Structure formats: C-alpha cells, structure tokens
Amino acid sequence: MDEGENFPAARNVLEHDFYVDDAISGAATVEEAIELRDQLIALMKKGGFALRKICSNKPEVLRDLPIEMLGTNLTVTFEFSPNEAVKTLGISWDPCADELRFVNDIQPITEIWTRRQILSAIAKLFDPLGLIAPVIVSAKIIMQELALLQTGWDEPVPTHVNNKWKTFYEGLPHLKDLRLNRFAFAPLSKEVQLHCFADASQLAYGACVYARTVDFEGKICVSLLSAKSRVAPLKRLTLPRLELCAAKEAAILHYKIVKALDMESVRSVFWSDSTIVLNWLKAQPNTWQTFVANRVSCIQTHTYRHKWYHIAGKENPADLVSRGLPVADFLASRLWRNGPEW
C-alpha cells in the first residue's frame, strides 16, 4: 500500500498471488518475468523482506541472481539437475519440464489396518487443485463405509474393507508416474473456453473444469484445471438431488477459477447428464421445494451468463469423480486428462 505505486506489476502480485509466504505468479515472456522478479525483490525490500528460494521454468530468469536466492540446485552453468523438483504449496513442481508431480509419503503396507491409520493415510494425499480427485474419492468412499459400520478408531477394520483398502493403498506409489503440464493453456492463445462437468452416484458427487484454448495456428489444447469431489451424505438423498449437488459444486468451482485467473469474461459451458437437473435449472427457484430451490438459486446466481447442456454419461469426465478409479486406471485415463474426445 505504501510503496506499490512505483512497482505496479509487483504490487498486483503481492495483493493477489501471495499464499502465506509463497509468491506464485508468472509472465508471458522471459523479459516480463525478469522485470516482475526485479520489482518484487525491490518492493519487498522496502518492507524489510528478503525474497529467497526463487525458481522459474526458464533458467534465464535466474541467471544473474546470487546463489543464496535460488530455490533450485542450479550448477554454475545454470542448468537444471535432471528430475529436480521444488515443493510449491505441498505439490512437487519440476521446473525443467514445467510439470506438476505427486510425491507422497507412502508408509510401508501393513496387513491389518485401523480406521485411524486409514484416515491418516488419506490426509497425506494433498491435492488442493483436485487433479487426482478420482483417486482420492475412492479413499473417501472407503472411509465413509467405515463410518456406516461404526468401526472403532483403533480396532482392526472388517476383513472385506481391509482387503479393499490394501488393494487401493498398494497402487498409491504409482502416482509418482503422473506428470501434468503446469501451464494449462495453448501458447499465445486467441480463444479460451471453460467447460465444467458435473456428475453424481449414490456414493459420491463432484465436478471438474477444463480449459479449451486455440492458438493462432488453429491448434487446440484441452487441459484439466481443477476438480472437486465429495462423498454422498450419510443421510441418503435421491440420485437427482445428488446430481443437483454436483451441479452446485461445478458452479462454485467455476466461480473460484475465473476469480483466481481473472477470466470473468471468458465463455463457459456447463454439462450434466441429468435431464431432471437441467429442467430444474430452467425454472424459477420458487417453483421447487426448499432443498431444490436453494441449490437452483445458487447455481443460477453463479452461472447466469452461461448455458447448461446435456452430455452422455460415458462421455462425462465428472463420472470418474463420482465413482472413483484405481490408480492404474486413473493413470491411463485420457478422458480425465483431456476431457471428451469431441
């Protein structure tokens, strides 16, 4: 507030792209990134804050910085070490390949699990963007099954649940093979769309959002931006109501994404495979009972400028969020990474 007038680029980053003590931002060119870096260092210095652990996917941005300010183990020739990763808000980022990874603290597999041990293992699957949501929702579904069985926290879980959990847990180390592009758009894109999918099952519901970008040569890039999953409440709801809850998740997730990326003017399209939900959304909220009316009102408020369409269930990537996937199937899923073929 005091010094930002002289550092406009850095002030914007300081106000919008700081998370506790981590600044995560970027620029379109190396020159702009260097200018932003210098402004941030100078602005923070005005308040007595010394930036360090600076990292970039372009070594040129780091070339003239002192070694003690770098966040990577660059050699004196400023070449990245192979497979070097940096932890960013709990997620591993490989700056050389500019890819996100998932490296989790997987403990040795035990024969007998307790409810407390399973919950502890689930909590270590840190995924703020929901990029591995189909895997995590599988774990949440197992945890909910234990809640329904009212298993004690430190008692061995029933055999059938223990076997199901062991099969799931044995696949987790393979998540290290997952690589996702950090930059989700086409370079110098001329057209950007957001496509938001919602789906529910009796076990869980959720939503996922994809960016579809087109560059000036007509090349199309479709990338997963974020996803959100929730297990169905213990008090059973009908499937149409769960589908409506999923549509609400899609609306709120989209709202958060466009705010975070400053993309309110981008064209967005919403998809659901529930014709009942689509008909609910066409009417005024006061047409329906309270449960439906409240959620329809929320969805209409957050998506009033955009349209909802029907999609076949087998083409809906949010179906993977609502049912879960084993790690092996998840890693092989093109539907999850890039959305429907069309």
Side-chain angles (χ1 to χ4, degrees), residues 115 118-119 139-153 157-158 161 231-234 236:
R115 185 177 173 188
I118 291 176
L119 180 60
K140 291 179 179 178
I141 290 170
I142 294 174
M143 196 67 201
Q144 188 184 55
E145 185 177 350
L146 291 174
L148 289 170
L149 293 172
Q150 297 183 339
T151 307
W153 282 103
V157 301
V161 179
V231 290
L234 293 177
R236 293 301 181 190

Side-chain angles (χ1 to χ4, degrees), residues 318-332:
D319 179 73
L320 307 179
V321 180
S322 67
R323 302 177 191 277
L325 277 179
V327 173
D329 294 342
F330 169 77
L331 294 174

Side-chain angles (χ1 to χ4, degrees), residues 134-277:
V135 174
I136 291 181
V137 79
S138 300
K140 291 179 179 178
I141 290 170
I142 294 174
M143 196 67 201
Q144 188 184 55
E145 185 177 350
L146 291 174
L148 289 170
L149 293 172
Q150 297 183 339
T151 307
W153 282 103
D154 296 304
E155 299 172 6
V157 301
T159 303
H160 71 285
V161 179
N162 192 74
N163 293 337
K164 189 186 302 184
W165 171 256
K166 278 179 61 181
T167 301
F168 168 81
Y169 194 77
E170 286 169 358
L172 289 182
H174 297 292
L175 281 176
K176 71 179 187 302
D177 298 328
L178 180 64
R179 299 285 189 276
L180 293 170
N181 290 333
R182 191 271 316 164
F183 187 58
F185 301 90
L188 302 175
S189 52
K190 67 174 182 178
E191 180 187 346
V192 180
Q193 297 174 0
L194 297 181
H195 289 260
C196 314
F197 299 86
D199 190 52
S201 69
Q202 292 290 353
L203 298 174
Y205 62 91
C208 49
V209 178
Y210 293 79
R212 180 186 186 275
T213 55
V214 184
D215 67 15
F216 285 92
E217 296 180 354
K219 295 179 181 178
I220 298 171
C221 174
V222 181
S223 301
L224 175 67
L225 284 182
S226 185
K228 182 72 174 178
S229 65
R230 293 185 184 276
V231 290
L234 293 177
K235 182 181 179 181
R236 293 301 181 190
L237 298 175
T238 62
L239 189 56
R241 288 193 170 193
L242 288 170
E243 294 275 11
L244 184 63
C245 292
K248 179 185 174 185
E249 287 296 330
I252 294 175
L253 181 61
H254 169 266
Y255 175 78
K256 291 181 178 179
I257 287 173
V258 296
K259 284 289 185 184
L261 299 180
D262 192 19
M263 297 174 64
E264 284 88 344
S265 60
V266 167
R267 182 193 172 207
S268 299
V269 184
F270 290 81
W271 303 89
S272 172
D273 55 23
S274 171
T275 54
I276 296 175
V277 168

